[in-house]
Amino acid sequence: MTARIPEKATVDGLEDRWADVWEQQGTYAFDRTKTREEIYSIDTPPPTVSGSLHVGHVFSYTHTDVVARYQRMCGREVFYPMGWDDNGLPTERRVQNYYGVRCDPTLPYVADFEPPHQGTEGKEVKPADQVPISRRNFVELCERLTAEDEEKFEALWRHLGLSVDWSRTYQTISPSSIAVAQQAFLRNLARGEAYQAEAPTLWDITFRTAVAQAELEDRERPGAYHRVGFARPDGGSPVFIETTRPELLAACVALVAHPDDARYQELFGTSVVTPLFGVSVPVVAHPLASPDKGSGIAMICTFGDVTDVIWWRELQLPTRAILGRDGRILEEAPSAISSRAGLAAYAEIAGKTVFAAQQRIVELLRESGDLVGDIKPVTHPVKFYEKGDRPLEIVTSRQWYISNGGRDSSLRSELLERGEALDFVPSHMGKRYENWVGGLTGDWLISRQRFFGVPVPVWYPVGADGEPVWDSPIVPAEDALPVDPSAEPAPGFVEAQRGVAGGFVGDADIMDTWATSSLTPQIVCGWRGDADLFSRTFPMDLRPQGQDIIRTWLFSSVVRSHLEHGELPWKHAAISGWILDPDRKKMSKSKGNVVTPMGLLETHGSDAVRYWAASARLGTDAAFDEGQMKVGRRLAMKVLNASKFVLGATGVGSAATLEDGVRAAELVRGFSVTEPLDEAMLGALDSVVATATAALEAYDHTRALEVTESLFWTFCDDYVELVKERAYDGAAPGEAIDPFAECSGGAASARATLVRALDTFLALLAPVLPFATEEVWSWYREGSVHRSAWPSGVPGEGAATLAAAGGALAALRKVKSEAKVSQRTVITSVTLQVPQDAVSLVVSARGDVMSAGRVESLDLVGADVPEPVATAAILAE
């Protein structure tokens, strides 16, 4: 064995070695001279840069990398960029906690500011202890921390072996990405697809920002039903409602019941009076009212929940808001409350939190006698911002929206058609898209009242009265992008005119993170500044992503591409499943049950972790399983060791230089295959290649791995053992074989088959085990296995012969094991019973079976047995 092939092969250390080589040699560099037909373009998910990656990322990104490597070996030039999603609340929260600061836009910028902390070792800094700083200082800290995190992310991805072109990374908050997002928004605005409106808005009182429908999640929370009586003007019996939110009584604008509810027919069209506050409100009918819920009649408040908004809008009710953006009851009572008693009751809750206001209102209702019976505890779903810790409220605010079909049935139909045209893998994931689009209740709210993100690129003129003219936005030219209206004057104005009559104000909001992420195809393909690249890569071929963001990232990307380009942004959507913890719960940072991956990669090896990931199909949840990773490590080690045997037994590994090794490999590969067992091996391999290729074309990497791995173990455990003696051609094990010397026909046939099989197995396993396969390839081949041609194959015969011959050999070995003798012991005579339909198959491999089993005399008998059985065996002394 020469220095080209290590004396002792190991998977340890392969990641660093080959990552460096791939970088130096530009193995995965994208060649942009190729045509669109020659390019396979991937819209890789940009992970959120807010701390660390977890094992779920390794799981799904491995699936994508398998696709990229396969497509590259099929001769396609793979466009495979990597991005980082920097902006948004996760980054702000991390910066606040990491540096111990919070943003106060009213403060001036401080040059060379150094934060009070440099990491808090996982401990949160209480808001009261966070140092307030200017928006510009805060954004600079966001940029500093994300840059550090991105370096760590890239190092992990390289260690995992992602075949990304690392010269093509992007950030969602870079100047170029901001310009793309702003240009797309301005075009939406020009076409009337983006608009501003003051309306009821779901609001997170912790983050002080609006929240879109796609960012909601229901969480079960404890509550209680309070039975409250509303007085009738005629002095009749009170009308009782049951509510979980008595603190909103002052915001009540109507009572509502189902139009078919017989109990309330006589009340429709009349009025009742709110307890405590003495306001007359109508009793109305609406089909969304539930006769089976509570007393069957409910109060409509502006606003308690999403249903209140629907009732308010469709029944054209007045607005009587009492809740501020800070989550406290407004100091000033609604104008409808005019009585002395009503104003006194309101003063009791003004300025209080929702919780404190509810407690006080309940006390007041008890005192007035309007609260009757026991308070009934209940657990019910409450809407939260997906990253929030407190229930959402609904406040009235001015926000920016983009049309998404939620209020336009024709656009909804068009977007549903786009979903039908998109190839979802697995196909049933398309139903989630369809259900989401069909269930939209409003347009996409894209503005956020935060600090680190893409600024909404508009200003407003300030009228003579000093108030902004909201319906006359001032927009920049596209060639002026990116812009920050909070820091730059509006076109045609100077900074001194900011905020004064006759001057301007800048929009202080930023865009929702999805408003930028929805444009990743446009960002990476060069839509704004590289028309040539855009024509070669867009529409893209693949969008890989998680199932939980079909409603956000996938749908919003379809919306933006449909509105701007009139087509889908990609042809296929590959949807990964979730990683489950031992309790079968989804792993997520918010649940605190994630596993960070670098330790796993170092313990088991990257190939082993990739094997675990690739063992799960798209759309299928998988258990976190280190046992499966150990299986993967064993497979990677077997690739190294089996390859060493093949190169030794064929003489290819004896060549003094790589150049001689390549010549030897080509020579041996060209030998004639004449023996039935060798033909069977190649036939079985052909069939596996055909099956694996079809599976990978259908994005079923798991099926491709299954059939490849199964035959590989048959090759190692059975075929190699069966032909070992023949391949050596009389040479002693370990003796150097000259591949250029003449050998027998049987040996030439075995050696040719061994080299062809090795070439093919390395190619088939390369997408999943890139490090082990590249290591072996370097021992006897030039270039990279990852730039080699994918093997071709057609369904063929041979598997049955291999199985029959392997079963016969196993039966002979069992005889020796039961006799407790060495496997090298000679069997002087044996009768081998085999299934009737396998007799001819074993006969075709008879010589190899006898040689490998060290049998001098073999009597083959067809019998009614499920597998070969050796009987009447006589062992040599």
Side-chain angles (χ1 to χ4, degrees), residues 660-776:
D660 288 339
V662 173
R663 288 176 51 234
E666 289 306 308
L667 174 69
V668 173
R669 184 182 173 94
F671 289 162
S672 297
V673 175
T674 57
E675 298 298 313
L677 187 61
D678 303 334
E679 292 172 342
M681 179 66 229
L682 295 180
L685 197 53
D686 261 357
S687 188
V688 163
V689 168
T691 301
T693 302
L696 288 168
E697 286 293 324
Y699 298 95
D700 188 353
H701 51 258
T702 305
R703 174 62 177 161
L705 176 59
E706 286 172 350
V707 296
T708 301
E709 182 184 9
S710 177
L711 186 62
F712 178 72
W713 284 112
T714 297
F715 170 77
C716 296
D717 296 342
D718 295 338
Y719 177 77
V720 164
E721 294 301 319
L722 287 163
V723 303
K724 184 184 297 184
E725 295 294 329
R726 178 153 54 88
Y728 283 144
D729 200 27
E735 180 182 340
I737 293 174
D738 182 357
F740 303 104
E742 187 174 345
C743 62
S744 68
S749 179
R751 293 177 187 179
T753 303
L754 287 168
V755 171
R756 293 184 196 179
L758 178 59
D759 284 350
T760 304
F761 278 123
L762 291 179
L764 289 171
L765 291 169
V768 177
L769 310 177
F771 295 105
T773 53
E774 187 77 306
E775 173 72 6
V776 171

Side-chain angles (χ1 to χ4, degrees), residues 205-501:
I205 60 176
T206 301
F207 296 113
R208 306 283 179 92
T209 185
V211 176
Q213 182 181 355
E215 299 169 306
L216 305 181
E217 64 181 34
D218 286 337
R219 300 179 192 169
E220 291 294 322
R221 300 280 289 193
Y225 276 120
H226 304 76
R227 187 172 175 84
V228 178
F230 283 65
R232 302 193 196 199
D234 61 6
S237 300
V239 178
F240 288 100
I241 60 103
E242 293 188 12
T243 179
T244 60
R245 303 210 62 180
E247 72 276 12
L248 294 181
L249 269 172
C252 179
V253 293
L255 296 191
V256 62
H258 194 278
D260 298 331
D261 194 328
R263 293 171 294 177
Y264 302 109
Q265 294 296 315
E266 65 178 29
L267 281 175
F268 294 143
T270 68
S271 297
V272 292
V273 178
T274 60
L276 300 181
F277 302 104
V279 176
S280 177
V281 296
V283 180
V284 296
H286 194 280
L288 283 183
S290 175
D292 300 327
K293 187 175 180 180
S295 61
I297 191 167
M299 67 175 180
I300 302 174
C301 300
T302 55
F303 298 93
D305 58 23
V306 175
T307 307
D308 278 343
V309 176
I310 297 172
W311 283 328
W312 166 81
R313 181 179 292 125
E314 295 186 2
L315 296 171
Q316 298 183 327
L317 298 169
T319 301
R320 201 163 290 156
I322 67 168
L323 193 63
R325 296 186 181 188
D326 58 357
R328 293 179 178 271
I329 304 298
L330 296 173
E331 293 289 346
E332 186 175 346
S335 59
I337 301 176
S338 56
S339 68
R340 180 178 298 179
L343 291 172
Y346 190 86
E348 292 287 320
I349 61 171
K352 293 185 181 295
T353 64
V354 168
F355 178 76
Q358 182 180 107
Q359 287 185 313
R360 185 56 182 143
I361 284 291
V362 170
E363 292 171 354
L364 293 174
L365 288 171
R366 283 287 191 206
E367 293 170 5
S368 68
D370 295 310
L371 178 65
V372 299
D374 295 330
I375 296 173
K376 302 174 184 177
V378 64
T379 299
H380 60 150
V382 177
K383 294 198 179 300
F384 280 74
Y385 172 45
E386 60 188 359
K387 296 180 174 64
D389 301 318
R390 298 169 72 179
L392 291 173
E393 298 293 351
I394 297 178
V395 302
T396 300
S397 62
R398 182 175 294 279
Q399 303 290 343
W400 282 101
Y401 298 83
I402 289 179
S403 300
N404 67 354
R407 300 176 66 184
D408 182 339
S409 59
S410 61
L411 177 57
R412 186 197 304 262
S413 297
E414 292 169 4
L415 293 171
L416 286 170
E417 289 176 6
R418 294 290 181 207
E420 291 172 359
L422 181 60
D423 175 32
F424 281 91
V425 184
S427 60
H428 70 263
M429 289 294 176
K431 195 66 179 176
R432 299 194 181 191
Y433 173 94
E434 179 185 335
N435 291 340
W436 174 252
V437 179
L440 288 170
T441 59
D443 284 332
W444 177 14
L445 190 159
I446 67 160
S447 48
R448 295 291 181 273
Q449 292 65 53
R450 298 301 299 174
F451 315 111
F452 187 53
V454 176
V456 175
V458 299
W459 298 260
Y460 308 95
V462 176
D465 60 356
E467 294 298 318
V469 183
W470 300 113
D471 58 359
S472 299
I474 303 168
V475 300
E478 288 187 357
D479 60 6
L481 303 175
V483 297
D484 184 354
S486 295
E488 303 169 40
F493 293 83
V494 295
E495 187 60 31
Q497 294 175 280
R498 185 183 295 272
V500 300

Side-chain angles (χ1 to χ4, degrees), residues 452-724:
F452 187 53
V454 176
V456 175
V458 299
W459 298 260
Y460 308 95
V462 176
D465 60 356
E467 294 298 318
V469 183
W470 300 113
D471 58 359
S472 299
I474 303 168
V475 300
E478 288 187 357
D479 60 6
L481 303 175
V483 297
D484 184 354
S486 295
E488 303 169 40
F493 293 83
V494 295
E495 187 60 31
Q497 294 175 280
R498 185 183 295 272
V500 300
F504 72 93
V505 292
D507 197 308
D509 289 350
I510 63 170
M511 295 189 208
D512 164 25
T513 185
W514 296 114
T516 304
S517 297
S518 62
L519 296 165
T520 52
Q522 289 82 354
I523 291 171
V524 299
C525 294
W527 170 58
R528 176 174 157 81
D530 194 338
D532 177 74
L533 179 65
F534 193 71
S535 69
R536 297 174 191 272
T537 56
F538 186 92
M540 305 182 85
D541 291 279
L542 180 67
R543 157 61 71 83
Q545 65 162 71
Q547 57 187 301
D548 52 332
I549 50 175
I550 290 175
R551 64 191 174 125
T552 49
W553 192 34
L554 189 145
F555 173 61
S556 62
S557 298
V558 171
V559 169
R560 303 306 286 280
S561 184
H562 174 78
L563 295 177
E564 184 62 40
H565 309 292
E567 61 183 331
L568 282 169
W570 353 261
K571 300 173 185 174
H572 311 279
I575 311 299
S576 292
W578 288 328
I579 296 302
L580 307 179
D581 67 12
D583 295 326
R584 305 297 294 176
K585 295 179 180 177
K586 176 194 172 187
M587 280 192 177
S588 68
K589 289 182 181 180
S590 63
K591 289 184 172 65
N593 62 347
V594 300
V595 176
T596 53
M598 187 55 85
L600 296 172
L601 298 176
E602 293 172 342
T603 298
H604 301 289
S606 295
D607 280 349
V609 177
R610 290 172 63 101
Y611 170 88
W612 159 73
S615 297
R617 286 180 169 81
L618 289 172
T620 302
D621 296 342
F624 173 69
D625 186 359
E626 288 194 70
Q628 189 81 342
M629 296 175 196
K630 293 176 182 178
V631 173
R633 182 180 178 89
R634 177 171 171 254
L635 176 62
M637 281 299 304
K638 193 65 175 181
V639 168
L640 298 180
N641 291 324
S643 300
K644 283 186 64 175
F645 166 77
V646 169
L647 297 179
T650 60
V652 173
S654 301
T657 64
L658 177 59
E659 181 180 350
D660 288 339
V662 173
R663 288 176 51 234
E666 289 306 308
L667 174 69
V668 173
R669 184 182 173 94
F671 289 162
S672 297
V673 175
T674 57
E675 298 298 313
L677 187 61
D678 303 334
E679 292 172 342
M681 179 66 229
L682 295 180
L685 197 53
D686 261 357
S687 188
V688 163
V689 168
T691 301
T693 302
L696 288 168
E697 286 293 324
Y699 298 95
D700 188 353
H701 51 258
T702 305
R703 174 62 177 161
L705 176 59
E706 286 172 350
V707 296
T708 301
E709 182 184 9
S710 177
L711 186 62
F712 178 72
W713 284 112
T714 297
F715 170 77
C716 296
D717 296 342
D718 295 338
Y719 177 77
V720 164
E721 294 301 319
L722 287 163
V723 303
K724 184 184 297 184

